[in-house]
Amino acid sequence: MKYKRILLKLSGEALMGERAYGIDPKRLAEYAQEIKKIHDKNIEIAIVIGGGNIFRGVAGASNGMDRVQGDYMGMLATVINGMALQGALEEAGMPTRLQTALKIEAIAEPYIKRKATRHLEKGRVVIFGAGTGNPYFTTDTAAVLRGVEVSADVILKGTRVDGIYNADPEKDANAVKYDTITFGDVIAKGLNVMDSTAFTLSQENKLPIIVFDMNIEGNLLKICEGLNIGTTVTV
Ligand code: UDP
């Protein structure tokens, strides 16, 4: 395996599957099986999950809600997704821990880096909920932050597109995919697959990001084996 410890970022929207809102149990079970394939190879797995399938602070703000209030609601949405994912992973036979940036002690451990690292060493899948715990951030930034903190070898951003293109491939048929690209180019060209805060944090800490299609069976394992099937963003 190319990587010993990975940080997998899954968006909340990915959990919707074919639905328009919420969580699709079928999709959740499929993701659990994909994650199991790399867990079986003894890869240490940390996961940050988004909340866009339930609530986004920006959407709340555009409807007149206070942005900070909305962002905390978004963070809580990521905890709901984290709990759902935890259940699916345990159902698939993996030991897990959920740690949250906002304290919700009845359901999750508070985020403690040393504890998280210990869980990873013991082969537990660690899910980080509630993003960074701060409004005005995203779970992409939380993914990079936690990845840097627990010394992950790479950030794997699982999406429904197979990499980074020079234009939106869902809108432009002539869009061309990059196999590799630098952080500098991603930011300069405004290729906003992740927000720029996430990219710059990763760039400053020399932590590569791979964007890949999580919805194709076996892709996560292939990435961990070192196959270049997505787009790798490096310094
Ligand atoms: N959020 C936040 N701080 C964070 C992470 C998330 O305030 O550190 C809020 C924000 O409102 C965001 C929502 O939680 O819109 C859901 O996260 P995100 O949009 O990143 O989810 P995804 O797009 O990955 O589903």
Side-chain angles (χ1 to χ4, degrees):
M1 290 293 126
K2 183 165 182 188
Y3 306 109
K4 170 113 183 67
R5 179 176 293 173
I6 60 132
L7 186 304
L8 176 65
K9 164 70 209 297
L10 296 174
S11 74
E13 279 179 1
L15 298 187
M16 294 193 301
E18 305 299 316
R19 300 177 182 213
Y21 176 85
I23 302 169
D24 176 7
K26 186 170 158 276
R27 169 56 55 82
L28 213 48
E30 286 163 2
Y31 277 1
Q33 286 308 320
E34 291 305 293
I35 293 163
K36 185 158 196 319
K37 286 176 191 153
I38 62 167
H39 188 260
D40 286 347
K41 301 283 181 193
N42 296 323
I43 291 176
E44 296 176 7
I45 308 158
I47 303 176
V48 167
I49 183 120
N53 56 323
I54 301 174
F55 198 84
R56 280 184 212 276
V58 202
S62 68
N63 291 320
M65 182 183 280
D66 178 71
R67 169 70 191 265
V68 174
Q69 182 85 342
D71 277 343
Y72 279 109
M73 290 170 68
M75 286 183 252
L76 291 178
T78 74
V79 179
I80 292 176
N81 285 335
M83 291 173 72
L85 184 63
Q86 178 175 40
L89 295 178
E90 294 202 326
E91 185 69 23
M94 285 164 275
T96 67
R97 291 291 186 276
L98 175 63
Q99 289 200 342
T100 52
L102 299 173
K103 275 193 191 172
I104 315 180
E105 286 169 19
I107 52 170
E109 293 179 358
Y111 170 67
I112 298 171
K113 184 239 159 172
R114 283 173 189 275
K115 264 194 145 182
T117 311
R118 189 79 189 111
H119 292 321
L120 291 169
E121 286 167 357
K122 288 194 164 179
R124 297 171 184 142
V125 180
V126 182
I127 303 165
F128 296 120
T132 64
N134 300 292
Y136 296 102
F137 285 91
T138 64
T139 51
D140 281 345
T141 301
V144 177
L145 176 64
R146 295 295 184 240
V148 172
E149 287 185 272
V150 302
S151 306
D153 301 320
V154 65
I155 304 289
L156 302 181
K157 173 153 165 105
T159 67
R160 54 189 178 152
V161 181
D162 63 350
I164 301 178
Y165 285 73
N166 63 352
D168 186 346
E170 289 178 346
K171 291 181 190 142
D172 185 346
N174 297 319
V176 179
K177 188 185 133 193
Y178 298 99
D179 288 331
T180 58
I181 187 167
T182 63
F183 285 108
D185 279 349
V186 166
I187 296 163
K189 292 179 200 290
L191 304 170
N192 46 7
V193 222
M194 283 172 109
D195 59 274
S196 56
T197 314
F199 278 128
T200 50
L201 187 61
S202 223
Q203 180 181 35
E204 280 165 14
N205 292 283
K206 301 187 173 54
L207 180 59
I209 297 175
I210 300 178
V211 179
F212 72 104
D213 187 345
M214 179 72 191
N215 294 343
I216 294 182
E217 214 187 312
N219 265 4
L220 179 62
L221 178 61
K222 283 184 187 157
I223 295 272
C224 292
E225 286 169 341
L227 266 72
N228 190 14
I229 52 170
T231 298
T232 306
V233 192
T234 54
V235 180

